[in-house]
Amino acid sequence: MLDGTHDAGRRSFVASANGHDAFPVQNLPFGVFSPQGGTRRAGVAIGDMILDLDAVLAAGLLDGAAEDAAAAATGGALNAMLALGAGPRRALRARLSELLAEGSAEARRLSGMLHASADCALHLPARIGDYTDFYAGIQHATNVGALFRPDNPLLPNYKHVPIGYHGRASSVVPSGAPVRRPNGQRKPAAEAEPSFGPSRNLDYELELGLWIGPGNALGEPIPIGAAEGHVAGYCLLNDWSARDIQGWEYQPLGPFLAKNFCTTVSPWIVTPEALAPFRAAQAPRPQGDPRPMDYLWDERDQAGGALDLLLEVFLVTEGLRAKGLPAHRLSSGNARALYWTPAQLVAHHACGGCNLQPGDLFGTGTISTEGGDGLGSLLEITRGGRQPVALASGETRRFLEDGDEITLRATARRDGFATIGFGECRGAILPAP
Ligand code: CA
């Protein structure tokens, strides 16, 4: 799976890419952007710049499968390119790596197709037909369960079934879009009657997102051994959650308005190819846990289906901003804490015949690491709001206040390879309407 595109020694003629913490030439994630005043087009992040993929295609710099992939990426959404699968995507990546390398014969022509990221708007990379949110972070499920059932935090199905629910695609927004505090029904334990108004317990959830590539026909399951091939790439996902609305509405059918008002994703699709050096074995299940059923079990997936990613969450408040203080890091964890691999999520989703479509989005579920530093939500960090976080500004937080800004980051690091990142997944809270 490793090739010249992963060579840590490869440099780019785009100076800001060399040593860039997210987008060196070894990453090359795909997205949709518009330059100032321009239309939506496909792009590739390289350092602090975006390469206009539509322009590269129009200039005749691609051929074969690489050209097919870029041609499918035009029109302001990447769905048709995601549908092509790994072959064309890999060919395009290989050609782009060559074109953007130091000493590239096309450096001069490409320079005219590069835009400063700071001058561009980034959009959702695909039209999302359906969005599904899983619950694969076992530590999160345990922590949240323990708030309600201290003696028996995990429900009996958890270790057998990859738990999930169908979310809302229309309110998924790209990083930077504002997040409006929702109104809804709340009923705190101390109040006799429910009331309607702004959520008082607004939270974030740190998750990975999976972009589905090739789909499957209705009625035809995806075998676990083929599931990986249906994942076109990854992003960060913040499943904003109104805990008070959730607590009142969630039984018996699960989350509804507590989650559907907004979901933020990082705008770049980081490909399985870029992440190949950072695959890891799925953590062995503790003694006594059931072995996954056969339709979820694949030796290759167990040996290398997990992702070794550092995951961090940062909070900026008006108080921190006013005093010129840096963002407060709320957590630092790792994606290896997921109980199910991406391939298992895909195979499970389709096992009953549900058809996945190119551009569908999965959330993994909140990722919390064992131990105190890697908790993926305020619900866990503040123990349901009972232990507020103290900030250097003198402020405290139980949950998010208006004006607060949350940024998720993911970094992939391994000796002998260039470090890559996902770019930011950021959103700031606006007051309720
Ligand atoms: Ca979630």
Side-chain angles (χ1 to χ4, degrees):
M1 289 299 280
L2 299 181
D3 56 36
T5 65
H6 301 100
D7 179 359
R10 186 168 290 187
R11 292 168 58 84
S12 174
F13 72 82
V14 180
S16 64
N18 301 316
H20 196 274
D21 60 358
F23 306 131
V25 71
Q26 290 82 1
N27 192 346
L28 304 177
F30 298 103
V32 171
F33 77 106
S34 40
Q36 252 169 358
T39 53
R40 291 186 185 212
R41 47 201 40 238
V44 178
I46 177 80
D48 294 336
M49 311 293 281
I50 299 173
L51 177 65
D52 182 338
L53 191 56
D54 289 15
V56 175
L57 175 71
L61 291 168
L62 306 170
D63 59 16
E67 184 179 10
D68 296 344
T74 58
L78 304 183
N79 298 64
M81 176 194 164
L82 304 183
L84 294 176
R89 191 178 66 223
R90 216 173 272 149
L92 179 56
R93 169 182 166 83
R95 177 61 176 150
L96 290 171
S97 176
E98 185 181 291
L99 285 170
L100 287 165
E102 204 167 56
S104 163
E106 307 291 348
R108 217 189 156 79
R109 285 173 81 191
L110 285 170
S111 294
M113 306 173 195
L114 288 162
H115 301 266
S117 304
D119 298 337
C120 298
L122 280 155
H123 309 287
L124 288 178
R127 284 182 307 272
I128 304 168
D130 280 296
Y131 158 50
T132 298
D133 197 23
F134 284 92
Y135 199 49
I138 189 168
Q139 201 56 48
H140 169 76
T142 305
N143 295 340
V144 172
L147 290 173
F148 302 103
R149 299 175 301 274
D151 298 332
N152 185 25
L154 284 181
L155 292 170
N157 57 6
Y158 189 86
K159 291 179 175 177
H160 299 272
V161 187
I163 302 292
Y165 70 97
H166 288 115
R168 182 76 194 171
S170 65
S171 52
V172 179
V173 299
S175 179
V179 179
R180 177 77 66 179
R181 179 182 301 273
N183 286 311
Q185 284 198 26
R186 317 145 304 182
K187 197 206 155 296
E191 292 172 20
E193 293 296 326
S195 61
F196 183 86
S199 169
R200 302 170 181 127
N201 293 353
L202 186 55
D203 200 357
Y204 65 89
E205 290 192 337
L206 164 65
E207 306 194 17
L208 281 185
L210 280 57
W211 291 103
I212 297 299
N216 58 307
L218 181 63
E220 289 179 16
I222 297 173
I224 178 76
E228 188 75 51
H230 291 264
V231 179
Y234 296 85
C235 63
L236 283 160
L237 184 149
N238 185 341
D239 176 24
W240 303 98
S241 297
R243 301 298 181 196
D244 44 355
I245 297 173
Q246 186 177 359
W248 173 233
E249 77 175 6
Y250 87 104
Q251 287 175 321
L253 286 184
F256 187 38
L257 307 190
K259 305 270 192 176
N260 76 358
F261 59 94
C262 190
T263 303
T264 302
V265 292
S266 56
W268 295 106
I269 299 181
V270 179
T271 63
E273 290 71 55
L275 290 168
F278 312 104
R279 298 314 289 227
Q282 178 67 355
R285 292 187 160 203
Q287 195 88 42
D289 281 14
R291 185 182 193 270
M293 291 181 202
D294 285 349
Y295 80 98
L296 295 171
W297 184 267
D298 180 74
E299 295 290 346
R300 246 189 76 234
D301 182 45
Q302 291 297 311
L307 287 163
D308 184 6
L309 294 172
L310 168 69
L311 301 174
E312 294 170 297
V313 180
F314 295 89
L315 166 68
V316 175
T317 63
E318 279 168 4
L320 288 168
R321 224 175 271 129
K323 295 187 172 172
L325 292 165
H328 177 88
R329 189 170 73 173
L330 285 165
S331 71
S332 171
N334 194 291
R336 293 192 68 184
L338 290 167
Y339 195 69
W340 303 99
T341 65
Q344 287 175 317
L345 302 183
V346 169
H348 181 66
H349 203 304
C351 75
C354 172
N355 50 328
L356 305 180
Q357 302 189 90
D360 281 357
L361 176 68
F362 285 9
T364 55
T366 309
I367 303 173
S368 290
T369 309
E370 223 172 326
D373 295 339
L375 300 175
S377 67
L378 280 173
L379 180 70
E380 295 164 86
I381 293 171
T382 68
R383 306 275 184 268
R386 290 193 292 274
Q387 296 174 18
V389 176
L391 305 176
S393 53
E395 299 164 292
T396 58
R397 284 293 180 275
R398 295 168 55 248
F399 290 100
L400 297 172
E401 303 287 335
D402 294 343
D404 287 359
E405 182 180 80
I406 289 288
T407 300
L408 315 181
R409 291 186 184 280
T411 308
R413 221 176 252 131
R414 185 178 156 197
D415 282 349
F417 292 89
T419 296
I420 66 170
F422 279 38
E424 63 183 21
C425 178
R426 184 171 52 82
I429 310 300
L430 295 181

